[in-house]
């Protein structure tokens, strides 16, 4: 039977199943292949909160959503065109995300009586048989049976064989969307090269899934999604945590400083450690400390010794690092603190995304302890903002908190390799000696209000450091009331002075004045960009600006906000940036919050834009 081809501009696929079904790997491999073919793309891995949730239950469902196309892609998609489900729980948990008329590809074995019961579906109500899915195109494949048949002579046990069934699904989807398997074949050879039986099993099942598409009569059509038109350059597919790690390395190589990364594992920041540990050939030093406090203190010690000191965590760990961040502020040493935000409070939702640490980053230290705060907007942007966090910290001798979150940290998109010559210069200067005849003043300031960086042991530059309030310029301990007030205001002025050395705020899309500005920060970027684009296409007077610098704000942000009748601020928290904007600029900004452990959809923001402009 001949198969016809249909060209599509964009497709959104969601893979869902138990944690042991390999849906994250399947989605990641399909993503890499899409990137190699030149598609623009965005991904959203959706992990279960429990490490070992019971198999077959809703709590154990793991998802991976991929939006790829020949057009510009900004989000993983509001709803999916294709939903691949390995069991009944995966269907029940994700059906609401499928477009009307969308395609369901279901593994028949995952809908037996046991799986239906674990998913909380009553006996006799199998959704594949009771007509409840009539509004969708449903294709049932016995993936488990076909995988076992393919590997019946492999010598592997049933448990090992069943682990390969995700390769059957991957192979079939490669066929369905006219994709070559070469990238995944190389991945398998690299991963299982020393385990020939496992390698052969995965390759055979991958090819069996592809061949199933060729021979089955259930699918009479294949699809093609052509390469996107992107600026010329060398691209790779990159996740946010990977990009952040490479941004840190780039700053290290640009400055010639040793990168020291002191950390303690925590979801979803741990992958930065994993990534950096691969680059010892670049002189990167990674240290997994015994706890969060030791981690940040080791990074401060590295900075004191003349290295680029970096630490990272998520909200609970940042809380533990708080006192030490205040110490770095008092010492006036460079320190980069990465906060990959997750749902809270306390342990909260470890595998879900949130933007709820903004006020913690701005104010979450004892005393008046201002630090610089920057934020990334997309996975690839994590490279630029990690690099920029290092630049600001080193040039201004100050701690910088870099805000990422689980959505962009684990999400992926194409990233064009920057050229070393195009990276912004980072000016690092160690003081070598004091002026002849003068007493060394360790806190004598330059035009940025920054003190000199002296390496311990440099003759003539011995000085006192510590967390107790210091006397202006000398650094000696001081309990003088007027000096303390002076130093508090000086430290605040030092942070605000950074505004002279960062870009002015730009309008991302739309006019530079009008009825409504949607102001965003962090990972809301893609959803806002799409929503504003759709609203403008309908003739609505709406614009979009996105903040990368939050403390201090760009110098022109107040004037920019004043050019719009209304300002809408979507956030994945209970309204934090909106509080800061109202307080600082005295405007009636409109908050729009979502606190579900999930990112905004473009449709949600577009609907809110419509509501605001109708008033």
């Amino acid at each position: 039977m001949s198969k016809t081809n249909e060209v599509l501009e964009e497709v959104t696929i969601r893979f869902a199943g138990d944690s042991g079904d390999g849906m994250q790997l399947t989605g990641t491999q399909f993503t890499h292949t899409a990137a190699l073919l030149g598609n623009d793309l965005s991904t959203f891995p959706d992990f279960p909160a429990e490490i070992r949730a019971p198999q077959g239950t809703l709590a154990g469902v793991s998802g991976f959503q991929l939006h790829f196309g020949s057009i510009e892609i900004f989000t993983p998609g509001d709803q999916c065109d294709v939903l691949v489900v390995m069991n009944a729980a995966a269907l029940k948990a994700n059906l609401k995300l499928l477009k009307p008329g969308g395609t369901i590809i279901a593994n028949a074995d995952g809908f037996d009586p046991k799986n239906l019961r674990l998913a909380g579906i009553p006996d006799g109500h199998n959704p594949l048989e009771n007509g409840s899915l009539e509004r969708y195109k449903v294709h049932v494949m016995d993936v488990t049976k076909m995988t076992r048949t393919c590997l019946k002579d492999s010598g592997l046990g049933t448990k090992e064989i069943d682990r390969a069934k995700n390769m059957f699904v991957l192979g079939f989807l490669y066929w369905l969307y006219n994709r070559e398997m070469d990238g995944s074949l190389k991945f398998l050879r690299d991963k299982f090269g020393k385990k020939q039986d496992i390698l052969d099993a995965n390759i055979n099942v991958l090819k069996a899934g592809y061949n199933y598409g060729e021979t089955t009569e259930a699918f009479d059509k294949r699809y093609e999604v052509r390469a996107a038109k992107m600026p010329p350059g060398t691209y790779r597919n990159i996740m946010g945590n990977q990009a952040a790690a490479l941004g840190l390395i780039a700053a290290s190589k640009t400055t010639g400083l040793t990168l020291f990364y002191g950390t303690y594992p925590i979801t979803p920041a741990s992958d930065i450690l994993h990534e950096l540990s691969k680059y010892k050939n670049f002189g990167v030093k990674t240290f997994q400390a015994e706890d969060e406090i030791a981690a940040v203190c080791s990074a401060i010690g590295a900075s004191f010794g003349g290295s680029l000191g970096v630490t990272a965590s998520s909200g609970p760990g940042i809380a533990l690092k708080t006192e030490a961040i205040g110490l770095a502020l008092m010492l006036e040493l460079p320190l980069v603190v990465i906060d990959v935000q997750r749902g809270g409070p306390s342990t909260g939702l470890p595998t879900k995304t949130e933007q709820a640490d903004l006020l913690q980053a701005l104010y979450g230290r004892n005393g008046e302890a201002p630090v610089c705060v920057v934020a990334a907007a997309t996975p690839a942007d994590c490279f630029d903002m990690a690099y920029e966090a290092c630049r600001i910290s080193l040039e201004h001798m100050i701690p910088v908190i870099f805000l990422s979150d689980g959505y962009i940290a684990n999400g992926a998109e194409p990233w064009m390799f920057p050229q070393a010559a195009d990276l912004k210069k980072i000016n690092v200067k160690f003081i070598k000696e004091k002026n002849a005849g003068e007493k060394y003043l360790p806190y004598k300031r330059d035009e940025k209000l920054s003190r000199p960086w002296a390496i311990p042991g440099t003759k003539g530059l011995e000085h006192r450091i510590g967390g107790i309030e210091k006397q202006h310029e000398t650094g000696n301990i001081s309990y003088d009331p007027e000096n303390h007030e002076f130093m508090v205001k000086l430290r605040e002025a030092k942070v605000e002075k950074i505004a002279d050395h960062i870009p002015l705020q730009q309008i991302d899309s739309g006019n530079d004045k009008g009825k409504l500005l949607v102001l965003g920060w962090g990972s809301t970027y893609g959803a806002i960009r799409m929503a504003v684009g759709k609203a403008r296409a309908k003739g609505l007077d709406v614009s979009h600006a996105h903040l990368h610098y939050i403390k201090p704000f760009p110098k022109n942000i107040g004037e920019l906000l004043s050019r719009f009748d209304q300002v809408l601020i979507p956030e994945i928290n209970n309204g934090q940036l909106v509080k800061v904007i109202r307080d600082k600029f005295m405007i009636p900004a409109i908050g729009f919050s979502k606190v579900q452990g999930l990112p905004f959809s473009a449709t949600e923001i577009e609907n809110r834009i419509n509501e605001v402009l109708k008033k």
Side-chain angles (χ1 to χ4, degrees):
M1 179 180 176
S2 61
K3 313 276 187 176
T4 61
N5 274 2
E6 180 179 340
V7 177
L8 302 174
E9 277 194 335
E10 56 181 320
V11 175
T12 300
I13 304 176
R14 188 171 182 90
F15 303 88
D18 266 325
S19 294
D21 286 334
M23 292 295 96
Q24 300 296 328
L25 177 61
T26 305
T28 300
Q29 282 301 302
F30 197 96
T31 298
H32 288 326
T33 299
L36 287 171
L37 290 175
N39 297 133
D40 198 5
L41 58 88
S42 178
T43 69
F44 174 47
D46 189 10
F47 302 98
E50 296 182 43
I51 295 174
R52 294 189 182 276
Q55 281 191 328
T57 65
L58 294 175
V61 174
S62 177
F64 187 102
Q65 188 159 311
L66 163 66
H67 184 193
F68 65 104
S70 57
I71 59 174
E72 203 168 12
I73 301 294
F74 296 106
T75 74
D78 287 3
Q79 290 184 296
C80 54
D81 302 290
V82 179
L83 175 61
V84 179
V85 291
M86 300 301 285
N87 60 20
L91 177 66
K92 186 174 180 180
N94 291 282
L95 185 59
K96 62 182 179 293
L97 301 174
L98 182 63
K99 294 175 182 176
T103 299
I104 297 171
I105 298 174
N107 174 27
D109 184 62
F111 288 80
D112 62 10
K114 178 183 177 181
N115 274 285
L116 291 170
R117 185 172 63 255
L118 288 169
I121 298 174
D123 293 341
H125 288 77
N126 187 336
L128 301 183
E129 301 171 353
N130 66 3
S132 62
L133 302 177
E134 287 181 349
R135 59 194 298 222
Y136 307 105
K137 301 169 188 172
V138 182
H139 297 280
V140 181
M141 308 186 322
D142 202 332
V143 176
T144 304
K145 180 180 178 181
M146 288 187 283
T147 300
R148 290 175 179 175
T149 300
C150 176
L151 299 180
K152 64 181 180 180
D153 298 323
S154 66
L156 298 175
T158 302
K159 187 175 288 188
E160 291 174 306
I161 288 173
D162 286 351
R163 287 196 189 112
K165 62 180 182 283
N166 62 325
M167 289 295 108
F168 189 97
V169 173
L170 181 61
F172 171 73
L173 288 171
Y174 280 157
W175 172 85
L176 188 62
Y177 288 98
N178 278 288
R179 318 248 126 177
E180 297 296 329
M181 296 181 286
D182 295 351
S184 290
L185 290 171
K186 181 181 184 304
F187 165 80
L188 291 171
R189 291 186 183 108
D190 291 343
K191 184 175 178 66
F192 299 116
K194 296 180 180 179
K195 299 178 180 178
Q196 192 63 43
D197 54 346
I198 301 296
L199 173 62
D200 291 343
N202 279 278
I203 288 177
N204 290 338
V205 175
L206 181 70
K207 292 179 178 179
Y210 192 95
N211 293 333
Y212 171 80
E214 290 280 11
T215 57
T216 184
E217 295 185 1
F219 292 83
D220 59 359
K221 186 182 293 185
R222 300 175 75 184
Y223 303 95
E224 182 179 356
V225 182
R226 292 170 181 165
K229 294 179 181 179
M230 294 191 284
T234 303
Y235 287 82
R236 64 162 283 185
N237 185 49
I238 199 164
M239 295 190 296
N241 277 340
Q242 293 174 320
L246 293 178
L248 298 175
I249 294 170
S252 169
K253 301 307 290 182
T254 299
T255 59
L257 299 178
T258 298
L259 172 58
F260 178 89
Y261 185 74
T263 191
Y264 183 77
I266 186 171
T267 302
S270 297
D271 281 341
I272 300 176
L273 171 62
H274 303 156
E275 189 70 18
L276 285 174
S277 66
K278 303 173 185 176
Y279 291 93
K280 290 183 173 59
N281 58 312
F282 283 165
V284 176
K285 290 182 169 60
T286 55
F287 171 54
Q288 181 174 316
E290 65 268 29
D291 56 42
E292 297 281 7
I293 298 171
V296 64
C297 288
S298 68
I300 293 172
S303 289
F304 181 56
S307 296
L308 171 55
V310 184
T311 190
S313 191
S314 191
I318 299 298
L320 292 168
K321 296 179 190 290
T322 293
E323 183 182 1
I325 296 172
L327 173 62
L329 170 70
M330 288 293 278
L331 301 179
E332 298 191 51
L333 286 171
L335 175 70
V336 174
V337 181
I338 301 175
D339 180 358
V340 187
Q341 301 164 94
R342 70 189 204 187
S346 186
T347 309
L349 303 173
T351 62
K352 307 300 180 182
T353 197
E354 209 161 86
Q355 289 182 299
D357 294 352
L358 177 60
L359 294 182
Q360 180 185 32
L362 290 171
Y363 308 118
R365 289 162 296 283
N366 63 293
E368 297 285 347
V371 300
C372 180
V373 180
V374 301
T378 69
D381 189 44
C382 287
F383 174 90
D384 295 320
M385 294 316 297
Y387 186 91
E388 183 70 347
C390 294
R391 182 190 71 83
I392 293 171
S393 183
L394 292 166
E395 292 188 351
H396 295 264
M397 296 292 286
I398 195 169
V400 176
I401 296 179
F402 164 44
L403 294 174
S404 174
D405 64 45
Y407 177 36
I408 55 177
N410 293 316
E413 66 178 344
W415 174 58
M416 185 169 67
F417 283 100
Q419 298 299 310
D422 296 333
L423 294 175
K424 190 180 294 186
K425 190 175 184 337
I426 301 177
N427 297 304
V428 176
K429 184 178 179 181
F430 294 107
I431 184 171
K432 302 295 185 181
E433 57 185 5
K434 62 183 178 66
N435 292 332
E438 290 185 4
K439 181 180 180 182
Y440 175 54
L441 297 174
Y443 291 92
K444 188 175 179 62
R445 301 173 189 282
D446 61 15
E447 71 282 357
K448 297 176 182 176
L449 301 181
S450 300
R451 78 172 184 95
W453 197 358
I455 301 297
T458 305
K459 186 177 180 180
L461 303 184
E462 298 86 357
H463 60 283
R464 180 193 299 273
I465 65 169
I468 297 177
E469 184 61 279
K470 66 178 72 69
Q471 185 183 49
H472 178 47
E473 293 194 340
T474 69
N476 294 331
I477 291 174
S478 173
Y479 291 100
D480 179 70
E482 286 77 14
N483 177 77
H484 175 56
E485 182 167 335
F486 174 81
M487 292 302 296
V488 166
K489 294 185 181 299
L490 180 68
R491 286 188 285 264
E492 176 67 24
K494 178 181 175 180
V495 176
E496 291 301 319
K497 192 76 174 170
I498 295 170
D500 294 335
H501 304 274
I502 60 175
L504 296 176
Q505 182 64 46
Q506 302 292 320
I507 295 293
D508 187 83
S509 58
N511 302 322
D512 61 2
K513 61 180 179 179
K515 291 184 178 179
L516 177 63
L517 174 70
V518 184
L519 180 66
W521 72 277
S523 62
T524 56
Y525 175 81
I528 296 175
R529 175 72 182 265
M530 283 194 68
V532 169
K534 290 179 180 179
R536 289 185 59 77
K538 295 176 182 176
L540 297 181
D541 185 3
V542 57
S543 301
H544 172 207
H546 215 77
L547 292 169
H548 285 87
Y549 303 90
I550 303 176
K551 178 70 175 181
F553 286 121
K555 293 171 69 174
N556 67 326
I557 187 67
E559 188 274 331
L560 185 150
L561 295 175
S562 70
R563 299 200 298 261
F564 291 87
D565 297 341
Q566 297 184 91
V567 176
L568 174 66
I569 303 179
E571 300 180 79
I572 311 174
N573 57 43
N574 207 27
Q576 298 194 10
L577 178 63
V578 69
K579 290 183 174 70
V580 178
I581 293 293
R582 288 169 182 165
D583 171 63
K584 189 168 180 66
F585 301 107
M586 302 297 287
I587 64 170
I590 303 166
F592 181 33
S593 294
K594 180 175 182 177
V595 197
Q596 300 176 11
L598 297 169
F600 273 110
S601 68
T603 301
E604 288 172 321
I605 295 176
E606 184 185 4
N607 290 341
R608 190 70 180 104
I609 289 170
N610 293 333
E611 292 171 5
V612 170
L613 288 176
K614 284 178 182 177
K615 292 180 181 178

